Amino acid sequence: KDGKIIPAEQVLHQIPFEKETPIEIAPGLFLRHLDFNQYEFRTPTETYLLKIEDEPISAFPYQLSPLPPYWVSSSNLRIIGGGNGFTPHHPCTGLLIEHLGIRLLVDAGPYIRQLVRHHGISLSQIHGLFLTHIHDDHTAGLTEFVQSGNKIDLFSTPEIARAAFQKLAMLYHQTEEQIAKNFRFIPITPDLPIEYYGMTLTGHYAIHSVPCIGFKLALRSQGKPPFQILYPSDTLKLDRVHELRQHQILAPERYENYLAFLKQEVDLMIYDSGAGIIHADAKDLEHYQAKNYLCVHTDKISKEATLN
């Protein structure tokens, strides 16, 4: 009220769980963590068992699907979500790429376990995760991978991965090293391609409010030319990018490299269309050369967009 910053320790008393060890949470009332979603409450005279069996209820209906699956040869792109992180009515932006039996998840937003199950897939059937940045609408579902015990490949830059591990470490009262053991980290170096089971994955820096990385993905099938997908992830609209260059905030090399990345001729461009201060705008697409476009991270397309 008076403008002073209060450390969290002054208002929160953190008592970490230790499995099978009772914790006294009030005089005479003990809580014990038995197993995943199973807790025991005990008083001097009575004992209660709490077992959470039902799935957490999401804020949106499961049957919601922003767009039908986009089929390409023996590959499949599933739209896990296309909304932004500020609406309770749509799942946050997320993609699932399937190619020759391998599944690569792009970001893990809230309710990710329920959302992939809606597509008939369990998290244990996902082989890799590409993490673009650590905003909660892209990372809240990382907790599911920590709890599942199934180690998956994690693609990101060392900076972004380290920040994600730090967030998870604070949530679970563990060290970053303990959290990192839940993933097989595969570092991404921008503009350096990585081969992954018939996919060629090339990372590229986006321009966002936090460190962020997008990618170009080439899906190869025998006897057919590669199908190429370009996804810059959350990024600024072109007007803002030009403005940053004019004020010499963006270096000339970074500026030219970024524009060249977006203007590649690809089969499908998945574009941030959230507009506002830190997101792109669908009207930018008139400057690009993709054959098809898919707008994500938005509830509606900008009125200024005039694409056919």
Side-chain angles (χ1 to χ4, degrees):
K1 187 175 180 180
D2 58 6
K4 293 182 180 179
I5 296 176
I6 302 176
E9 291 78 6
Q10 291 188 15
V11 294
L12 296 176
H13 178 45
Q14 185 178 22
I15 306 177
F17 274 124
E18 293 184 14
K19 191 173 181 180
E20 299 293 342
T21 301
I23 298 173
E24 189 170 17
I25 59 176
L29 176 60
F30 291 85
L31 172 63
R32 191 158 62 109
H33 181 207
L34 302 177
D35 206 341
F36 179 69
N37 279 349
Q38 294 186 42
Y39 305 89
E40 177 191 78
F41 292 85
R42 179 168 52 83
T43 70
T45 58
E46 295 178 283
T47 299
Y48 299 90
L49 179 65
L50 173 63
K51 184 175 181 181
I52 304 173
E53 298 179 346
D54 296 331
E55 289 288 329
I57 300 174
S58 67
F60 41 80
Y62 278 20
Q63 66 269 21
L64 177 65
S65 181
L67 285 175
Y70 193 101
W71 290 92
V72 290
S73 182
S74 58
S75 305
N76 183 25
L77 170 63
R78 297 181 186 270
I79 312 303
I80 302 300
N84 60 44
F86 303 97
T87 173
H89 308 301
H90 301 279
C92 297
T93 294
L95 309 168
L96 180 61
I97 298 164
E98 299 172 294
H99 183 64
L100 303 178
I102 299 298
R103 295 185 177 94
L104 177 65
L105 182 66
V106 181
D107 288 334
Y111 305 108
I112 189 63
R113 181 157 56 98
Q114 296 94 319
L115 290 170
V116 297
R117 180 185 290 182
H118 168 64
H119 290 272
I121 300 168
S122 70
L123 287 185
S124 62
Q125 295 174 302
I126 294 175
H127 303 87
L129 169 66
F130 188 98
L131 184 62
T132 63
H133 62 295
I134 65 163
H135 280 161
D136 285 346
D137 57 323
H138 295 258
T139 60
L142 289 179
T143 56
E144 296 285 358
F145 292 100
V146 175
Q147 294 173 4
S148 70
N150 294 314
K151 185 179 290 189
I152 67 168
D153 299 328
L154 175 66
F155 296 90
S156 196
T157 66
E159 181 182 24
I160 295 171
R162 184 168 57 250
F165 294 160
Q166 288 174 347
K167 290 182 69 172
L168 290 168
M170 288 186 287
L171 282 173
Y172 285 97
H173 200 69
Q174 295 182 2
T175 66
E176 295 173 36
E177 290 73 19
Q178 288 174 313
I179 292 296
K181 291 180 180 179
N182 294 279
F183 306 91
R184 286 185 294 270
F185 177 53
I186 302 174
I188 291 289
T189 301
D191 299 322
L192 183 64
I194 290 179
E195 295 298 321
Y196 189 64
Y197 299 107
M199 312 180 203
T200 302
L201 185 65
T202 307
H204 198 282
Y205 282 124
I207 303 176
H208 196 36
S209 58
V210 297
C212 185
I213 190 168
F215 61 78
K216 178 182 178 182
L217 184 66
L219 307 177
R220 299 191 307 276
S221 299
Q222 188 173 9
K224 296 184 179 181
F227 188 92
Q228 299 184 90
I229 301 173
L230 194 68
Y231 178 49
S233 186
D234 289 13
T235 193
L236 299 186
K237 54 187 175 184
L238 280 181
D239 289 347
R240 289 280 291 151
V241 175
H242 298 326
E243 182 182 340
L244 292 178
R245 176 65 201 112
Q246 291 170 1
H247 291 282
Q248 299 183 352
I249 297 174
L250 272 182
E253 298 80 7
R254 177 76 178 272
Y255 174 73
E256 296 297 337
N257 182 259
Y258 178 75
L259 294 183
F261 170 71
L262 294 178
K263 292 182 179 180
Q264 296 180 81
E265 295 184 9
V266 295
D267 297 285
L268 175 65
M269 184 177 191
I270 304 171
Y271 198 63
D272 174 6
S273 302
I277 298 176
I278 61 173
H279 291 281
D281 198 312
K283 68 178 182 179
D284 297 340
L285 299 181
E286 63 187 20
H287 300 285
Y288 304 144
Q289 304 178 60
K291 297 177 183 177
N292 300 280
Y293 298 97
L294 173 64
C295 294
V296 294
H297 210 288
T298 184
D299 287 333
K300 58 184 179 181
I301 300 299
S302 167
K303 294 181 180 179
E304 289 79 15
T306 55
L307 293 173
N308 293 325

